[in-house]
Amino acid sequence: MPRESFLQPVRLKLAQRAAYRCAFPGCDRLTIGPGEKADEVENTGKAAHIYAASEYGPRGQGTLTPDQLKAITNGIWMCGHHADLIDKNTGRRYPVAVLKSWKALHEYRTAYEHSGRATAFGFVRSMTLNATPLFAPTTIAFGKTTFLIGMNESGKTALLDWLSVLDSPRRLGRWMTPHRLHYTLLFDAPGEHKLEVETDNNVVQCDLDDRRVAFNHHRIAITVLAKRRDHQAKDDLANLMSLLHLDEISVRSLAAMIDSDTMYLRAARFEREADDDGEVREVLRCTLQSGAEMPFGILSGGEQGRVIMEFAIAHMASVASVAPALLIVERPNLGIDDAGFAVYLDYFSRGECRFQTIVTQFKITDDIKGLGWQVYQLTARTNTTSGIIEAVLPI
Ligand SMILES: [Zn+2]
């Protein structure tokens, strides 16, 4: 079988997207400079393959077609030393999911630097599960957007609870005794940090960069979007406050910031309305792209899901302009149809989107069957076996 090498235009674009710097974490070596003669350039970088270029090469070829093997999505830019290192011993130490996560981190950081906003940089690199009541020990390497695929009870919510300790430990409450929980998070905020979490006798022990702390002081702001309606909320304002875990003033400010010509909402505002009993309620009036103005309450479930999603995106975008941010979307609970959701997937993949995203869903859908996304499949534990988390290629 032939070697599926990258063509020159692919190599060039890969190098440029990496700003000609090695994507191996901590290396960042510049791979281009002046050559020997006045009109020469010396390039010491390599377009390394994530899946192998040849049939029995490092990490194998998965189920990729020849075209996919030589596509830019299957490449990562590295200095000569690291390009060789990742291929040693059939690439066992550097699996596909890890390399994809490194590539995402490097491109994300490069986009940040390029925009001149380097200080707000944040990126959750990985979560290593050492001991949990649900899963066999494993590591999840996060991309800029990561999909967690699994049915109900497969442990998705547990992973999100554990991850959210980066923002606040409040979701760890239900993971105290008798469960033993021990896991490690690696993240940038903007420096590199390690947070080791262990529960012991009703106490959460956190070690941040090997020092005991009460909670994570290099906070990553996390919003978990788990539903589109809180049925206890008395009006639209209270509903958004509950879903986004924000106070009234912040939700009002957020509504004033909604301004898009590509998403579902063009603008939004709250209006006080008295009902027949004289009860005053804050109604969210949504201006759609058509110019029509609709109260939130009469929108369909899926449309309401889109409104909530766009508030969450506006929130994360504003946080990410000054601090690290991560948006977690429990997709099935929002009721947004695939065509509607495509707008968000497109936004998450663009450089202008400054925050990381995790999307949970039941199955691998057509819209994530592309290369470049980070996708993990969860299999629930049974009475006799631990749950399994494995990186999958959605083709
Ligand atoms: Zn390197």
Side-chain angles (χ1 to χ4, degrees), residues 245-311:
H245 296 281
L246 291 174
D247 58 80
E248 176 182 339
I249 293 172
S250 303
V251 172
R252 287 184 187 280
S253 304
L254 217 46
M257 286 165 59
I258 300 251
D259 174 18
S260 170
D261 49 20
T262 52
M263 293 194 185
Y264 177 69
L265 277 181
R266 185 193 288 177
R269 67 188 167 86
F270 288 100
E271 200 170 78
R272 290 164 76 89
E273 284 179 11
D275 65 16
D276 296 344
D277 303 329
E279 184 98 34
V280 175
R281 291 199 163 81
E282 294 280 353
V283 172
L284 181 67
R285 302 199 66 93
C286 305
T287 306
L288 311 184
Q289 292 304 336
S290 61
E293 197 182 81
M294 312 276 254
F296 179 79
I298 70 155
L299 297 175
S300 72
E303 290 166 338
Q304 291 184 346
R306 300 194 68 173
V307 170
I308 300 299
M309 180 80 169
E310 291 177 20
F311 265 80

Coordinates of all heavy atoms in Angstrom, one line a residue, residues 245-311:
H245 N -27.0 30.1 36.2 CA -26.4 30.4 37.5 C -25.9 31.8 37.6 O -24.7 32.0 38.1 CB -25.3 29.3 37.9 CG -25.9 27.9 38.0 ND1 -26.5 27.5 39.1 CD2 -25.9 26.9 37.1 CE1 -26.9 26.3 38.9 NE2 -26.5 25.9 37.7
L246 N -26.7 32.7 37.2 CA -26.2 34.1 37.3 C -27.3 35.0 38.0 O -28.4 34.6 38.2 CB -26.1 34.7 35.8 CG -25.0 34.2 35.0 CD1 -25.1 34.7 33.5 CD2 -23.6 34.5 35.6
D247 N -26.8 36.1 38.5 CA -27.7 37.0 39.2 C -28.5 37.8 38.2 O -28.2 37.9 37.0 CB -27.0 37.9 40.2 CG -25.9 38.7 39.5 OD1 -26.3 39.7 38.8 OD2 -24.7 38.3 39.4
E248 N -29.5 38.5 38.8 CA -30.4 39.3 37.9 C -29.7 40.4 37.1 O -29.9 40.5 35.9 CB -31.5 40.0 38.8 CG -32.4 40.9 38.0 CD -33.4 41.6 38.9 OE1 -33.7 41.1 40.0 OE2 -34.0 42.6 38.4
I249 N -28.8 41.1 37.7 CA -28.1 42.2 37.0 C -27.3 41.6 35.8 O -27.3 42.2 34.7 CB -27.3 43.0 38.0 CG1 -28.2 43.7 39.0 CG2 -26.4 44.0 37.2 CD1 -27.5 44.4 40.1
S250 N -26.6 40.5 36.1 CA -25.8 39.9 35.0 C -26.7 39.4 33.9 O -26.3 39.6 32.7 CB -25.0 38.7 35.6 OG -24.2 39.2 36.7
V251 N -27.8 38.8 34.1 CA -28.7 38.4 33.1 C -29.2 39.5 32.2 O -29.2 39.5 31.0 CB -29.8 37.5 33.6 CG1 -30.8 37.2 32.5 CG2 -29.3 36.2 34.2
R252 N -29.5 40.6 32.9 CA -30.0 41.8 32.2 C -28.9 42.4 31.3 O -29.1 42.8 30.2 CB -30.5 42.9 33.2 CG -31.8 42.6 33.8 CD -32.2 43.8 34.7 NE -33.4 43.5 35.5 CZ -34.6 43.5 35.0 NH1 -34.9 43.8 33.8 NH2 -35.6 43.2 35.8
S253 N -27.7 42.4 31.8 CA -26.5 42.9 31.1 C -26.3 42.0 29.8 O -26.1 42.5 28.7 CB -25.3 42.9 31.9 OG -25.4 43.6 33.0
L254 N -26.4 40.7 30.1 CA -26.2 39.8 29.0 C -27.2 40.0 27.9 O -26.9 40.0 26.7 CB -26.4 38.4 29.6 CG -25.5 37.2 29.1 CD1 -24.1 37.7 29.0 CD2 -25.6 36.0 30.0
A255 N -28.5 40.2 28.2 CA -29.6 40.4 27.2 C -29.2 41.6 26.4 O -29.4 41.6 25.1 CB -30.9 40.6 27.9
A256 N -28.7 42.6 27.0 CA -28.3 43.8 26.3 C -27.1 43.6 25.3 O -26.9 44.3 24.4 CB -28.0 45.0 27.3
M257 N -26.3 42.6 25.6 CA -25.2 42.3 24.8 C -25.5 41.4 23.6 O -24.6 41.2 22.7 CB -24.1 41.6 25.6 CG -23.4 42.5 26.6 SD -22.5 41.6 27.9 CE -21.3 40.6 26.8
I258 N -26.7 40.8 23.6 CA -27.0 39.9 22.4 C -27.1 40.7 21.2 O -27.9 41.7 21.1 CB -28.3 39.1 22.7 CG1 -28.2 38.3 24.0 CG2 -28.8 38.3 21.5 CD1 -28.1 36.8 23.8
D259 N -26.3 40.4 20.2 CA -26.3 41.1 19.0 C -25.6 40.3 17.9 O -24.4 40.2 17.9 CB -25.5 42.4 19.2 CG -25.2 43.2 18.0 OD1 -26.0 43.0 17.0 OD2 -24.3 44.1 18.0
S260 N -26.4 39.6 17.1 CA -25.8 38.7 16.1 C -26.6 38.8 14.8 O -27.8 39.0 14.8 CB -25.8 37.3 16.7 OG -25.5 36.4 15.6
D261 N -25.9 38.6 13.7 CA -26.6 38.4 12.5 C -26.5 37.1 11.9 O -26.8 36.8 10.7 CB -26.3 39.6 11.5 CG -24.8 39.7 11.3 OD1 -24.1 38.8 11.6 OD2 -24.4 40.8 10.9
T262 N -25.9 36.1 12.7 CA -25.7 34.8 12.1 C -26.5 33.7 13.0 O -26.8 32.7 12.5 CB -24.2 34.3 12.1 OG1 -23.7 34.6 13.4 CG2 -23.5 35.1 11.1
M263 N -26.8 34.1 14.2 CA -27.5 33.1 15.1 C -29.0 33.3 15.0 O -29.5 34.0 14.2 CB -26.9 33.2 16.5 CG -25.5 32.7 16.5 SD -24.9 32.4 18.2 CE -23.1 32.1 17.8
Y264 N -29.7 32.6 15.9 CA -31.2 32.7 15.9 C -31.7 34.0 16.4 O -32.5 34.6 15.7 CB -31.7 31.5 16.8 CG -33.2 31.5 16.9 CD1 -34.0 31.1 15.8 CD2 -33.8 31.8 18.1 CE1 -35.3 31.0 16.0 CE2 -35.1 31.7 18.3 CZ -35.9 31.3 17.2 OH -37.3 31.3 17.4
L265 N -31.1 34.5 17.4 CA -31.5 35.8 18.0 C -30.7 36.9 17.4 O -29.5 36.8 17.3 CB -31.2 35.8 19.5 CG -32.2 35.2 20.5 CD1 -31.6 35.3 21.9 CD2 -33.5 35.8 20.3
R266 N -31.4 38.0 17.1 CA -30.6 39.2 16.7 C -30.4 40.1 18.0 O -29.4 40.7 18.1 CB -31.4 40.0 15.6 CG -30.6 41.2 15.1 CD -31.5 42.1 14.3 NE -31.8 41.5 13.0 CZ -32.6 42.1 12.1 NH1 -33.1 43.3 12.4 NH2 -32.8 41.5 11.0
A267 N -31.5 40.1 18.8 CA -31.4 40.9 20.0 C -32.4 40.4 21.0 O -33.3 39.6 20.7 CB -31.7 42.4 19.7
A268 N -32.3 40.9 22.3 CA -33.2 40.4 23.3 C -33.4 41.5 24.4 O -32.4 42.2 24.6 CB -32.7 39.1 23.9
R269 N -34.5 41.6 24.9 CA -34.7 42.5 26.1 C -35.8 42.0 27.0 O -36.7 41.3 26.5 CB -35.0 44.0 25.5 CG -36.4 44.1 24.8 CD -36.6 45.4 24.2 NE -37.7 45.3 23.3 CZ -39.0 45.5 23.7 NH1 -39.2 45.9 24.9 NH2 -40.0 45.4 22.8
F270 N -35.7 42.5 28.2 CA -36.8 42.1 29.2 C -37.8 43.2 29.3 O -37.5 44.4 29.1 CB -36.2 41.9 30.6 CG -35.4 40.6 30.6 CD1 -34.0 40.6 30.6 CD2 -36.1 39.4 30.8 CE1 -33.3 39.4 30.6 CE2 -35.4 38.2 30.8 CZ -34.0 38.2 30.7
E271 N -39.1 42.8 29.4 CA -40.1 43.8 29.6 C -41.1 43.4 30.7 O -41.4 42.2 30.8 CB -40.9 43.9 28.3 CG -41.7 45.1 28.1 CD -42.3 45.2 26.6 OE1 -43.3 44.5 26.4 OE2 -41.7 45.9 25.8
R272 N -41.4 44.4 31.6 CA -42.3 44.0 32.7 C -43.7 44.0 32.2 O -44.2 44.9 31.5 CB -42.2 45.1 33.8 CG -40.8 45.0 34.5 CD -40.6 46.3 35.3 NE -41.3 46.3 36.5 CZ -40.9 45.8 37.7 NH1 -39.7 45.2 37.8 NH2 -41.7 45.8 38.8
E273 N -44.4 42.9 32.5 CA -45.8 42.8 32.1 C -46.6 42.3 33.3 O -46.2 41.5 34.0 CB -46.0 41.8 31.0 CG -45.5 42.4 29.6 CD -45.7 41.4 28.5 OE1 -46.3 40.3 28.7 OE2 -45.1 41.7 27.4
A274 N -47.8 42.9 33.5 CA -48.7 42.5 34.5 C -49.7 41.5 34.0 O -50.3 41.7 32.9 CB -49.4 43.7 35.2
D275 N -49.9 40.4 34.6 CA -50.9 39.5 34.1 C -52.3 39.8 34.7 O -52.5 40.9 35.4 CB -50.6 38.0 34.4 CG -50.5 37.7 35.9 OD1 -51.1 38.5 36.7 OD2 -50.0 36.7 36.3
D276 N -53.3 39.0 34.4 CA -54.7 39.4 34.8 C -54.9 39.6 36.3 O -55.7 40.3 36.8 CB -55.7 38.3 34.4 CG -55.7 38.3 32.8 OD1 -55.2 39.2 32.2 OD2 -56.1 37.2 32.3
D277 N -54.0 38.9 37.1 CA -54.1 39.0 38.6 C -53.3 40.1 39.1 O -53.2 40.3 40.3 CB -53.6 37.7 39.3 CG -54.4 36.5 38.8 OD1 -55.6 36.7 38.4 OD2 -53.8 35.4 38.7
G278 N -52.7 40.9 38.2 CA -51.9 42.0 38.7 C -50.5 41.6 39.0 O -49.7 42.5 39.5
E279 N -50.1 40.4 38.8 CA -48.8 39.9 39.1 C -47.8 40.4 38.0 O -48.1 40.2 36.8 CB -48.8 38.4 39.1 CG -47.5 37.7 39.5 CD -47.5 37.3 41.0 OE1 -48.6 36.9 41.5 OE2 -46.4 37.4 41.6
V280 N -46.7 41.0 38.4 CA -45.8 41.5 37.5 C -44.7 40.5 37.1 O -44.1 39.9 38.0 CB -45.1 42.8 38.0 CG1 -44.0 43.3 37.0 CG2 -46.1 43.9 38.2
R281 N -44.5 40.3 35.8 CA -43.5 39.3 35.4 C -42.5 39.9 34.4 O -42.9 40.8 33.6 CB -44.2 38.1 34.7 CG -45.0 37.3 35.7 CD -45.2 35.9 35.1 NE -45.6 35.0 36.2 CZ -46.8 34.9 36.7 NH1 -47.8 35.7 36.2 NH2 -47.1 34.0 37.7
E282 N -41.3 39.5 34.4 CA -40.3 39.9 33.4 C -40.3 39.0 32.2 O -40.0 37.8 32.3 CB -38.9 39.9 34.1 CG -38.7 40.9 35.2 CD -38.4 42.3 34.7 OE1 -38.2 42.5 33.5 OE2 -38.4 43.2 35.5
V283 N -40.8 39.5 31.1 CA -41.0 38.7 29.9 C -39.8 39.0 29.0 O -39.4 40.1 28.8 CB -42.3 39.0 29.2 CG1 -42.4 38.3 27.8 CG2 -43.5 38.6 30.1
L284 N -39.2 37.9 28.5 CA -38.1 38.1 27.5 C -38.6 38.3 26.1 O -39.3 37.4 25.6 CB -37.1 36.9 27.6 CG -35.9 37.0 26.6 CD1 -35.0 38.1 27.1 CD2 -35.2 35.6 26.6
R285 N -38.4 39.4 25.5 CA -38.8 39.6 24.2 C -37.6 39.4 23.2 O -36.6 40.0 23.3 CB -39.4 41.0 24.0 CG -40.6 41.2 25.0 CD -41.5 42.4 24.6 NE -42.2 42.1 23.4 CZ -43.4 41.6 23.3 NH1 -44.1 41.3 24.4 NH2 -44.0 41.4 22.2
C286 N -37.8 38.4 22.3 CA -36.7 38.0 21.4 C -36.9 38.6 20.0 O -37.9 38.3 19.4 CB -36.8 36.5 21.3 SG -36.7 35.6 22.9
T287 N -35.9 39.3 19.6 CA -35.9 39.8 18.2 C -35.2 38.8 17.3 O -34.0 38.5 17.5 CB -35.2 41.2 18.0 OG1 -35.8 42.0 19.0 CG2 -35.4 41.7 16.6
L288 N -35.9 38.2 16.4 CA -35.3 37.1 15.5 C -34.7 37.8 14.3 O -34.8 39.0 14.1 CB -36.4 36.2 15.0 CG -37.3 35.6 16.2 CD1 -38.3 34.6 15.6 CD2 -36.5 35.0 17.3
Q289 N -33.9 37.0 13.5 CA -33.2 37.5 12.4 C -34.2 38.2 11.4 O -33.8 39.1 10.6 CB -32.4 36.5 11.7 CG -31.2 36.0 12.5 CD -30.3 37.1 12.9 OE1 -30.2 38.2 12.3 NE2 -29.5 37.0 14.0
S290 N -35.4 37.7 11.3 CA -36.4 38.2 10.3 C -36.9 39.6 10.8 O -37.6 40.3 10.0 CB -37.6 37.3 10.3 OG -38.2 37.2 11.6
G291 N -36.5 40.0 12.0 CA -37.0 41.3 12.5 C -38.2 41.1 13.4 O -38.6 42.0 14.2
A292 N -38.9 39.9 13.3 CA -40.1 39.6 14.2 C -39.7 39.6 15.6 O -38.6 39.2 16.0 CB -40.7 38.3 13.8
E293 N -40.6 40.1 16.5 CA -40.3 40.1 17.9 C -41.3 39.1 18.6 O -42.5 39.3 18.4 CB -40.4 41.5 18.5 CG -39.7 41.6 19.9 CD -39.9 43.0 20.5 OE1 -40.9 43.3 21.1 OE2 -38.9 43.7 20.4
M294 N -40.7 38.2 19.3 CA -41.6 37.2 20.0 C -41.3 37.0 21.4 O -40.1 37.0 21.8 CB -41.3 35.8 19.3 CG -41.2 35.7 17.8 SD -42.9 35.5 17.2 CE -42.8 33.8 16.7
P295 N -42.3 36.9 22.3 CA -42.1 36.6 23.7 C -41.5 35.2 23.8 O -42.0 34.3 23.1 CB -43.4 36.8 24.3 CG -44.4 36.9 23.3 CD -43.8 37.0 22.0
F296 N -40.6 35.0 24.7 CA -39.9 33.7 24.9 C -41.0 32.6 25.1 O -40.9 31.5 24.5 CB -39.0 33.7 26.1 CG -38.3 32.5 26.4 CD1 -37.2 32.1 25.7 CD2 -38.7 31.7 27.5 CE1 -36.5 30.9 26.0 CE2 -38.0 30.5 27.8 CZ -36.9 30.1 27.0
G297 N -42.0 32.9 25.9 CA -43.0 31.9 26.3 C -43.8 31.2 25.1 O -44.2 30.1 25.2
I298 N -43.9 31.9 24.0 CA -44.7 31.3 22.9 C -43.8 30.6 21.8 O -44.3 30.0 20.9 CB -45.6 32.3 22.2 CG1 -44.8 33.3 21.3 CG2 -46.5 33.1 23.1 CD1 -45.6 33.9 20.2
L299 N -42.5 30.6 22.0 CA -41.6 29.9 21.1 C -41.7 28.4 21.4 O -42.1 28.0 22.4 CB -40.1 30.3 21.4 CG -39.8 31.8 21.1 CD1 -38.3 32.1 21.5 CD2 -40.0 32.2 19.7
S300 N -41.4 27.6 20.3 CA -41.4 26.2 20.5 C -40.2 25.7 21.4 O -39.3 26.5 21.7 CB -41.2 25.5 19.1 OG -39.9 25.7 18.7
G301 N -40.3 24.5 21.8 CA -39.2 24.0 22.7 C -37.9 24.2 22.2 O -36.9 24.6 22.8
G302 N -37.7 23.8 20.9 CA -36.4 23.9 20.2 C -35.9 25.3 20.1 O -34.7 25.6 20.2
E303 N -36.9 26.2 19.8 CA -36.5 27.6 19.7 C -36.1 28.2 21.1 O -35.2 29.0 21.1 CB -37.7 28.4 19.1 CG -38.0 28.1 17.7 CD -39.4 28.6 17.2 OE1 -40.3 28.8 18.0 OE2 -39.5 28.7 16.0
Q304 N -36.8 27.8 22.1 CA -36.4 28.2 23.4 C -35.0 27.7 23.7 O -34.2 28.4 24.3 CB -37.4 27.7 24.5 CG -38.7 28.4 24.4 CD -39.7 27.9 25.5 OE1 -39.5 26.9 26.1 NE2 -40.8 28.7 25.6
G305 N -34.7 26.4 23.3 CA -33.4 25.9 23.5 C -32.3 26.7 22.9 O -31.2 27.0 23.4
R306 N -32.6 27.3 21.7 CA -31.7 28.1 20.9 C -31.5 29.4 21.7 O -30.3 29.9 21.7 CB -32.2 28.4 19.5 CG -32.3 27.1 18.7 CD -32.5 27.4 17.2 NE -31.2 27.9 16.7 CZ -31.0 28.2 15.4 NH1 -32.0 27.9 14.5 NH2 -29.9 28.6 15.0
V307 N -32.5 30.0 22.2 CA -32.4 31.3 23.0 C -31.5 31.1 24.2 O -30.5 31.8 24.4 CB -33.8 31.8 23.4 CG1 -33.6 33.0 24.4 CG2 -34.6 32.2 22.2
I308 N -31.7 30.0 24.9 CA -30.9 29.7 26.1 C -29.4 29.5 25.7 O -28.5 30.0 26.3 CB -31.4 28.4 26.8 CG1 -32.9 28.6 27.3 CG2 -30.6 28.1 28.0 CD1 -33.1 29.7 28.2
M309 N -29.3 28.7 24.6 CA -27.9 28.4 24.1 C -27.2 29.7 23.8 O -26.0 29.9 24.1 CB -28.1 27.5 22.9 CG -26.8 27.2 22.2 SD -26.0 25.8 23.1 CE -24.7 25.4 22.0
E310 N -27.9 30.7 23.1 CA -27.3 31.9 22.7 C -27.0 32.8 23.9 O -26.0 33.6 23.8 CB -28.1 32.5 21.6 CG -28.0 31.6 20.3 CD -28.8 32.1 19.1 OE1 -29.2 33.3 19.0 OE2 -29.1 31.2 18.3
F311 N -27.8 32.8 24.9 CA -27.4 33.5 26.1 C -26.1 32.9 26.7 O -25.2 33.6 27.2 CB -28.6 33.4 27.2 CG -29.5 34.6 27.1 CD1 -30.5 34.7 26.1 CD2 -29.3 35.7 28.0 CE1 -31.3 35.8 26.1 CE2 -30.2 36.8 27.9 CZ -31.2 36.8 27.0

